[in-house]
Amino acid sequence: MVEVRVVADPEQLPVMRAVVGDLAMRADFDVDTIADLRLAVDEACSSLVRIAAERSQLVGRFRTENDVLEFTAEVNSPDASGPRKNTFSWRVLSALSDNVASSVQESEEHADGHVVRIQLSKGRMVHE
């Protein structure tokens, strides 16, 4: 597993895109799937950055296993509702990923905050 922590700021999103692109390339994903993963990670992180608490970190966890790349991103947020799923952004995220989900739980570190997560996965095309 690879974990990346950056400030929850749009200017930091290229870091997450670069990491997923590199990991997917090393795992022998095809060019189109790598492009989908970069866009999906960007969309997930953008959604979380929009609702992140001030001075929050964006944490990304990447795991490649059995021809599948899994990505989980999380931020601390004052918003208990999490990312909205009736948006164009969520539709794009769903179209680019094999599986996508979000979750919200109360933060143990911040009294009035929440940890908001988006998890996604995408499988590698197996060529025979």
Side-chain angles (χ1 to χ4, degrees):
M1 177 174 43
V2 173
E3 181 174 290
V4 177
R5 292 174 179 264
V6 296
V7 175
D9 183 281
E11 292 180 7
Q12 299 299 317
L13 299 183
V15 173
M16 296 295 188
R17 285 194 306 267
V19 171
V20 75
D22 186 62
L23 291 172
M25 228 179 321
R26 291 172 187 265
D28 203 26
F29 282 69
D30 64 73
V31 175
D32 291 335
T33 304
I34 293 170
D36 287 352
L37 280 164
R38 283 185 175 135
L39 288 170
V41 164
D42 187 71
E43 201 63 50
C45 292
S46 294
S47 295
L48 292 175
V49 165
R50 282 193 287 276
I51 61 172
E54 201 172 313
R55 294 187 301 270
S56 179
Q57 283 191 329
L58 171 64
V59 180
R61 293 182 185 93
F62 305 83
R63 179 189 316 266
T64 311
E65 192 172 302
N66 299 329
D67 297 327
V68 175
L69 192 145
E70 297 173 350
F71 174 69
T72 302
E74 69 182 42
V75 294
N76 286 313
S77 175
D79 186 351
S81 61
R84 293 188 355 224
K85 296 181 180 176
N86 62 344
T87 63
F88 179 72
S89 175
W90 192 263
R91 284 183 175 225
V92 169
L93 191 52
S94 298
L96 294 170
S97 307
D98 294 339
N99 296 295
V100 63
S102 66
S103 62
V104 179
Q105 68 185 67
E106 288 188 24
S107 175
E108 295 176 10
E109 298 173 13
H110 304 284
D112 60 346
H114 302 85
V115 177
V116 181
R117 285 186 190 90
I118 295 178
Q119 303 95 13
L120 63 89
S121 65
K122 180 113 177 141
R124 180 168 64 85
M125 299 288 286
V126 179
H127 302 287
E128 295 182 21

